[in-house]
Amino acid sequence: MEYELTIVIPVYNRAGIVGRTLDSVRHQTLRPLRVVLVDNNSTDETLHVLQAWKEHVEGPGFEVTVVSEPKPGAAAARNRGLREVATPFTMFFDSDDIMLPGHAKRALDAFHRDIPHDIVGWDVEYVSPRGKVSLKPFYDKDVIWHTIMHGSMATLRYAARTELFREAGGWDNLDRGWDDIELGVRLLVRKPSVLRLGGGPTVKVIETIDSITGDAFSPKAPCWERSLDSIERTLDHFGHPTICVDLRRAHLAGCYIAEGAPEEGWRLMAGVLKDTQSRFMRLLLRFACRYTALGGRGVARLLRPFFKV
């Protein structure tokens, strides 16, 4: 029995709700299947819940590994889980979300199509803390742009070759912001073959008030900006234009202002404009910031023709 796919799930203080996620994994139709659960130094009964679940569900064709990672942060926990992976393909998942029964098999089947792919992605359904449902797409065209501007390579929207994750260096343990987007760019600059799966979403992301993004950007401004700085360095190192990162910064500055933190917004914009030589680009970036600050949506689509990636 050859295992080909491992699902890695970091867990921190989710003793009361992780069972819902684990049940969705247990009901996957794919067999054989490996699951790696990483307790991220939880202070509640999470580790006990994970170990009890392993003892209850593990059997032929369904292998569960439970490990601990004392370093704080989902990135460190995911790296710990990645070290346990011995299969060709890896899927990362979060501890408060749900996958439909055919999700893992759908992903693995796509990797075995006639044309081999390094990354296979899918659209996901997001449920906000207020109950609003929206569809978040995955893109296999213009992928770096859509990752930076629309989060296309968010954690739950794709699976990839395990060695690609390792070649890219894994997750940045120090990143407390868009660590998934930052890793996504490091994967994409290596020019992998990317496939988007059609059909309806097979993952439901249930956002909570205490999720990493939360309801506002401005309280964690240094985290998001550090991620963008890392993305810019990666693009520059691999010979890609970096101006799209400034557009994302201008959009973020507009979000700060819209949230009632204008000092943070204008501080960020001052740095953006200082480093932009083109007068025309400075005009576009100012527009992006003000448009977003006034509640405008879709600025990335409006300005896409003017920005290189």
Side-chain angles (χ1 to χ4, degrees):
M1 185 178 295
E2 184 179 357
Y3 288 83
E4 294 188 89
L5 177 69
T6 300
I7 300 173
V8 177
I9 306 177
V11 191
Y12 173 71
N13 284 356
R14 287 286 193 268
I17 64 172
V18 70
R20 178 182 60 191
T21 297
L22 297 179
D23 281 346
S24 77
V25 174
R26 178 169 63 90
H27 289 117
Q28 290 303 295
T29 59
L30 177 66
R31 294 293 187 276
L33 178 63
R34 279 193 173 129
V35 181
V36 176
L37 305 174
V38 186
D39 175 59
N40 196 198
N41 210 26
S42 298
T43 57
D44 63 2
E45 293 297 310
T46 291
L47 181 57
H48 173 74
V49 170
L50 301 182
Q51 291 170 335
W53 185 77
K54 167 185 166 68
E55 294 174 6
H56 178 66
V57 305
E58 192 171 41
F62 194 74
E63 182 179 299
V64 181
T65 300
V66 178
V67 296
S68 296
E69 174 52 63
K71 293 179 183 176
R78 290 176 183 132
N79 280 332
R80 178 66 183 89
L82 183 60
R83 292 202 297 272
E84 297 293 324
V85 176
T87 55
F89 307 105
T90 300
M91 176 190 298
F92 290 95
F93 206 69
D94 287 347
S95 60
D96 49 3
D97 301 316
I98 298 170
M99 57 176 71
L100 298 185
H103 177 64
K105 187 176 188 304
R106 177 193 189 204
L108 185 59
D109 286 349
F111 281 115
H112 288 310
R113 292 186 181 181
D114 292 340
I115 300 175
H117 297 284
D118 302 299
I119 295 172
V120 170
W122 44 80
D123 301 346
V124 301
E125 181 180 275
Y126 274 66
V127 182
S128 76
R130 297 178 180 85
K132 181 181 178 181
V133 177
S134 59
L135 190 71
K136 302 292 185 180
F138 179 87
Y139 297 87
D140 57 6
K141 302 291 190 297
D142 208 8
V143 287
I144 292 179
W145 170 268
H146 284 298
T147 293
I148 294 171
M149 300 307 301
H150 302 125
S152 180
M153 291 285 286
T155 308
L156 278 73
R157 297 192 212 178
Y158 73 100
R161 283 193 307 105
T162 302
E163 285 308 307
L164 181 61
F165 282 119
R166 289 174 175 152
E167 290 166 11
W171 301 77
D172 182 349
N173 289 344
L174 300 179
D175 198 325
R176 296 292 187 269
W178 287 313
D179 59 339
D180 51 354
I181 305 309
E182 190 274 332
L183 171 60
V185 172
R186 278 190 282 118
L187 295 173
L188 294 172
V189 293
R190 286 166 169 78
K191 300 181 179 180
S193 174
V194 181
L195 173 69
R196 175 186 176 270
L197 299 181
T202 53
V203 169
K204 180 179 290 187
V205 178
I206 303 173
E207 296 183 315
T208 59
I209 295 298
D210 62 344
S211 68
I212 190 168
T213 303
D215 275 353
F217 291 104
S218 50
K220 295 180 64 176
C223 297
W224 319 123
E225 292 169 33
R226 183 190 184 281
S227 297
L228 293 176
D229 290 345
S230 296
I231 290 169
E232 184 174 56
R233 287 192 295 270
T234 295
L235 292 176
D236 184 62
H237 178 76
F238 282 85
H240 288 265
T242 62
I243 188 65
C244 61
V245 181
D246 279 331
L247 178 59
R248 190 66 183 89
R249 290 187 179 110
H251 177 267
L252 184 60
C255 290
Y256 293 166
I257 297 168
E259 293 167 2
E263 67 287 349
E264 290 287 352
W266 299 126
R267 170 195 57 78
L268 180 56
M269 276 305 296
V272 169
L273 296 174
K274 179 182 177 182
D275 294 335
T276 304
Q277 301 300 315
S278 165
R279 181 178 178 182
F280 178 62
M281 280 297 163
R282 288 199 299 271
L283 180 65
L284 292 180
L285 293 169
R286 286 193 183 97
F287 168 80
C289 176
R290 293 183 181 276
Y291 178 83
T292 303
L294 292 172
R297 300 175 64 86
V299 71
R301 289 189 295 273
L302 288 173
L303 299 184
R304 177 65 188 98
F306 303 103
F307 287 82
K308 295 182 179 180
V309 177

